[in-house]
Amino acid sequence: MPKVETFDRNQVLLKATEIFQKKGYNGTSMQDLVDVTNLNRSSIYNSFGCKLGIFMEVLSFYKNDIDQSFEKELIKTYNTADAIKVIFEITLKSILEDDDKKGCLLVNCTSEMANQEPIVHSFVEKNQDKMIAMIEDIINKGQLQKIFNEKQTASQYALYLFTSLQGLRMTGILNKNEEELRNLVNNILYILY
Amino acid sequence: MPKVETFDRNQVLLKATEIFQKKGYNGTSMQDLVDVTNLNRSSIYNSFGCKLGIFMEVLSFYKNDIDQSFEKELIKTYNTADAIKVIFEITLKSILEDDDKKGCLLVNCTSEMANQEPIVHSFVEKNQDKMIAMIEDIINKGQLQKIFNEKQTASQYALYLFTSLQGLRMTGILNKNEEELRNLVNNILYILY
DNA sequence: ATTTAATTGAAATGATCATTTCAAAATTAA
DNA sequence: TTAATTTTGAAATGATCATTTCAATTAAAT
């Protein structure tokens, strides 16, 4: 019976994520992927189909990674104010660790490919909707608890915060000044109280 | 004596801008540029040097266009509150007109190339600094006139507003709902009053 | 041990990439 | 008109692109 997949799929996806995040989709060649994954060219095609195939798996992998880190930190939070802060804290940490200015893969591919590849378009659109819905839930709870004001609906605040997160990721590509970025986050959250 | 340049350089740069904005730097080929500019391949190399050469001219062209539309609208404004609103209004208009979800060339190339091409890195960095300085000037005047509060320095508000602009451009790629985006802008500006 | 089917390596495919080359055509000042 | 010089067209360059091919190798199940 068949030989089974020997390589560590997660390890391969991690390496592929790094190179796609660094060079972008169009800037990354199959040769780049062969080099960084230490996988045979045939094995890549065998396991992922085509370049867009491995990219879509990378997108899911990257998104799951973010979801997990959110989940892990959010269950530790005692109130909704902390929950929102944690989301920005994770983003800030990710920015400060991003030494080679790669930026966020989801933001990058939204700007590079959303208008070119329908499958990427629907992926990032769905992902954005989920993210906004998650924030809206938190705001909703916070408003019920009178922690956040009700001048705007939870939905409106969610769009505002999601937009701020994307802005933060863009600004954070070139600006790694922690003090400035922390103050920026405080200013973003000011409207909620 | 020499034959002079016959083609309309601005027209060529406009066409080149459109294709770079739509497909990105790595997604645009010299053949694409030949096709959209109706210029000979040799003429492109003769006039712009190389692909990165024409791209850098496109960046300047695009940036000048934005600067001019800002200048044109800003001289009409009577107070600093309007000045800030005008900046967001121009951005909003640009988003709503962007039917094919190209996004902003400066945002796109920050995410695609700032970490790969030093010359692009320094261009967008300088451009960001100037934009933030311009916003800071407006905030400064507004604070002196007691139109904006002084809970944060003009510099801190400028970074916040610039980040919000970038976030708005990212959100505006997939979300073209004018009502939602207008409310979003109002929320962004809330902190100033 | 033999069968079975996937993995692997390495080479080949043919398209497309950015860039160069160069002779012919075009244009302008003298 | 002639001389000067650039634009133009079209082909060639050689590298790199994504993808395919296929024989050899590998590993599990019988």
Side-chain angles (χ1 to χ4, degrees):
Chain A
M1 279 292 239
K3 183 180 172 185
V4 297
E5 201 175 80
T6 56
F7 60 86
D8 180 343
R9 202 174 180 87
N10 271 3
Q11 189 66 25
V12 166
L13 285 173
L14 186 68
K15 287 294 179 186
T17 299
E18 285 171 3
I19 193 75
F20 274 128
Q21 198 176 350
K22 186 172 168 188
K23 299 181 140 199
Y25 179 77
N26 289 310
T28 301
S29 67
M30 288 304 295
Q31 188 57 51
D32 286 331
L33 291 167
V34 168
D35 292 342
V36 300
T37 61
N38 287 319
L39 221 60
N40 189 275
R41 196 178 305 273
S42 306
S43 302
I44 296 180
Y45 279 97
N46 225 321
S47 304
F48 301 101
C50 62
K51 189 184 173 188
L52 191 57
I54 189 169
F55 184 73
M56 293 312 297
E57 282 216 36
V58 158
L59 271 190
S60 291
F61 179 80
Y62 184 86
K63 177 211 166 332
N64 284 344
D65 210 53
I66 292 177
D67 283 352
Q68 278 172 32
S69 76
F70 276 162
E71 216 167 301
K72 184 184 152 211
E73 292 300 320
L74 284 177
I75 51 166
K76 292 189 205 162
T77 59
Y78 293 100
N79 60 60
T80 50
D82 282 350
I84 291 293
K85 277 180 195 158
V86 154
I87 291 173
F88 279 86
E89 193 59 42
I90 289 171
T91 305
L92 194 57
K93 197 181 159 206
S94 166
I95 287 170
L96 293 172
E97 283 170 353
D98 179 25
D99 292 325
D100 36 7
K101 305 174 199 264
K102 302 181 298 292
C104 168
L105 180 64
L106 291 166
V107 172
N108 291 353
C109 89
T110 299
S111 113
E112 184 184 7
M113 313 179 66
N115 68 333
Q116 300 284 89
E117 289 288 350
I119 192 167
V120 173
H121 182 283
S122 68
F123 184 99
V124 294
E125 192 169 49
K126 190 181 291 180
N127 186 60
Q128 288 193 6
D129 289 346
K130 275 191 197 165
M131 185 71 189
I132 292 171
M134 186 197 77
I135 297 174
E136 187 177 341
D137 277 352
I138 299 174
I139 299 292
N140 241 321
K141 284 182 197 155
Q143 287 181 323
L144 286 173
Q145 297 165 349
K146 305 293 175 195
I147 292 172
F148 303 137
N149 69 56
E150 297 184 279
K151 290 177 188 168
Q152 297 284 303
T153 65
S155 165
Q156 289 167 329
Y157 277 145
L159 182 64
Y160 164 83
L161 290 173
F162 176 72
T163 298
S164 300
L165 277 171
Q166 287 191 112
L168 181 61
R169 293 229 80 133
M170 283 306 306
T171 290
I173 293 176
L174 298 183
N175 185 338
K176 307 280 186 197
N177 183 314
E178 182 166 357
E179 194 187 337
E180 283 183 22
L181 294 179
R182 286 200 180 278
N183 182 262
L184 172 56
V185 169
N186 286 337
N187 286 335
I188 289 168
L189 300 182
Y190 169 83
I191 196 176
L192 298 175
Y193 299 98
Chain B
M1 278 291 241
K3 183 180 173 185
V4 297
E5 203 174 77
T6 56
F7 60 86
D8 180 344
R9 202 175 180 86
N10 271 1
Q11 190 65 26
V12 165
L13 285 172
L14 186 68
K15 287 294 179 186
T17 299
E18 285 171 5
I19 193 74
F20 274 129
Q21 197 176 349
K22 186 174 167 187
K23 298 181 140 200
Y25 179 78
N26 288 311
T28 301
S29 66
M30 288 304 293
Q31 188 56 50
D32 286 331
L33 292 168
V34 168
D35 292 342
V36 299
T37 60
N38 288 318
L39 221 61
N40 190 275
R41 195 179 305 274
S42 305
S43 302
I44 296 180
Y45 279 97
N46 225 322
S47 304
F48 302 99
C50 63
K51 189 183 172 189
L52 190 58
I54 189 168
F55 185 73
M56 294 312 295
E57 283 216 35
V58 158
L59 271 190
S60 292
F61 178 80
Y62 184 86
K63 178 212 168 326
N64 283 344
D65 211 54
I66 292 177
D67 284 351
Q68 278 171 31
S69 75
F70 276 161
E71 216 167 299
K72 184 185 153 212
E73 293 299 320
L74 284 177
I75 52 166
K76 293 187 202 163
T77 60
Y78 292 99
N79 61 59
T80 50
D82 283 349
I84 291 292
K85 277 179 194 160
V86 154
I87 291 172
F88 280 87
E89 193 60 41
I90 289 170
T91 305
L92 195 56
K93 196 181 159 206
S94 166
I95 287 169
L96 294 172
E97 283 170 353
D98 178 24
D99 292 324
D100 37 6
K101 304 174 200 266
K102 301 181 298 291
C104 168
L105 180 65
L106 291 166
V107 172
N108 291 353
C109 90
T110 299
S111 113
E112 184 184 6
M113 314 179 65
N115 68 333
Q116 300 284 89
E117 289 288 351
I119 192 169
V120 173
H121 181 283
S122 69
F123 184 98
V124 295
E125 191 168 50
K126 189 180 292 181
N127 187 58
Q128 288 193 6
D129 288 347
K130 276 191 195 164
M131 184 74 190
I132 292 171
M134 186 197 76
I135 298 173
E136 187 176 343
D137 277 351
I138 299 174
I139 299 292
N140 242 322
K141 284 181 196 155
Q143 287 181 325
L144 287 173
Q145 297 166 348
K146 304 293 176 195
I147 293 172
F148 302 136
N149 69 56
E150 298 185 280
K151 289 177 188 169
Q152 297 285 304
T153 65
S155 166
Q156 288 167 327
Y157 278 145
L159 182 63
Y160 164 82
L161 291 173
F162 175 73
T163 298
S164 300
L165 276 173
Q166 287 191 114
L168 182 61
R169 294 229 79 134
M170 284 306 305
T171 290
I173 292 176
L174 297 184
N175 185 339
K176 307 281 185 195
N177 183 315
E178 182 166 357
E179 194 188 336
E180 283 184 22
L181 293 178
R182 285 200 181 280
N183 182 262
L184 172 56
V185 169
N186 285 337
N187 286 336
I188 288 168
L189 300 183
Y190 170 83
I191 195 175
L192 298 176
Y193 299 97

